[in-house]
């Protein structure tokens, strides 16, 4: 997966540690619901979404109401692997990137097909005909 991310193990460690630190702005060494909500707000995700509580529930392995770095790291490892498997399933040519046709086929197979998508897809690929989607791009959409 590191090869697909185009980063070394050390770079990945720094990226994940930096993300944890972003949420742990008070430098407490753990995340609670309020810190997660503040971090999501900083990422411009509206507070009305229940992501903070869901993230806390998923990450808090020992059920102490907090997410320490190791719990956060396990979640990131699992989530990145899940997304990598999805990426590989879409990348039917197995060339390390998703071609426009592969993306379109995957969206249609997933039942995502409506007028807006068609307009977006056609307009985007007319502007960027050589566009491809690498795993690192795919990861940061999540």
């Amino acid at each position: 997966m590191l090869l697909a991310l185009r980063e070394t193990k050390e770079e990945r460690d720094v990226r994940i540690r930096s993300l944890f630190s972003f949420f742990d702005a008070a430098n407490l060494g753990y995340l609670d619901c309020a810190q997660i909500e503040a971090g999501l707000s900083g990422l411009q995700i509206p507070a009305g979404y229940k992501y903070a509580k869901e993230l806390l529930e998923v990450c808090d392995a020992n059920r102490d109401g907090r997410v320490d770095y190791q719990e956060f790291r396990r979640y990131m490892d699992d989530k990145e692997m899940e997304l990598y498997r999805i990426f590989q399933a879409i990348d039917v040519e197995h060339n390390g990137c998703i071609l426009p046709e592969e993306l379109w086929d995957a969206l249609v197979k997933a039942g995502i097909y409506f007028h807006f998508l068609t307009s977006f897809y056609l307009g985007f690929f007319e502007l960027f005909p050589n566009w491809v989607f690498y795993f690192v791009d795919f990861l940061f959409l999540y």
Side-chain angles (χ1 to χ4, degrees), residues 15-26:
R15 177 175 52 82
I16 293 173
R17 176 61 77 174
S18 295
L19 183 59
F20 182 83
S21 296
F22 171 80
F23 282 95
D24 183 19

Side-chain angles (χ1 to χ4, degrees), residues 72-122:
F72 183 80
R73 178 60 188 249
R74 275 190 299 276
Y75 172 79
M76 292 298 295
D77 290 345
D78 293 345
K79 188 54 68 178
E80 287 184 4
M81 185 54 70
E82 177 185 342
L83 290 171
Y84 184 60
R85 288 184 181 124
I86 292 168
F87 181 88
Q88 288 179 312
I90 296 171
D91 179 19
V92 295
E93 290 192 15
H94 304 292
N95 58 1
C97 62
I98 297 175
L99 302 171
E101 303 79 31
E102 293 171 325
L103 178 60
W104 179 260
D105 290 344
L107 292 172
V108 170
K109 285 179 186 174
I112 303 171
Y113 184 83
F114 50 93
H115 181 69
F116 171 76
L117 179 60
T118 304
S119 298
F120 169 78
Y121 179 87
L122 294 175

Side-chain angles (χ1 to χ4, degrees), residues 23 33 36-37 40 45-59 75 142:
F23 282 95
C33 195
I36 295 170
E37 285 177 349
L40 292 174
I45 297 174
Y49 289 100
K50 54 184 179 178
Y51 294 132
K53 288 180 184 172
E54 288 177 355
L55 185 61
L56 185 63
E57 288 174 14
V58 170
C59 292
Y75 172 79
Y142 180 77

Side-chain angles (χ1 to χ4, degrees), residues 2 5-18 73 140:
L2 289 173
L5 284 170
R6 298 178 178 185
E7 64 185 358
T8 65
K9 180 185 179 317
E10 292 75 23
E11 290 169 331
R12 183 173 183 269
D13 291 343
V14 167
R15 177 175 52 82
I16 293 173
R17 176 61 77 174
S18 295
R73 178 60 188 249
F140 292 116

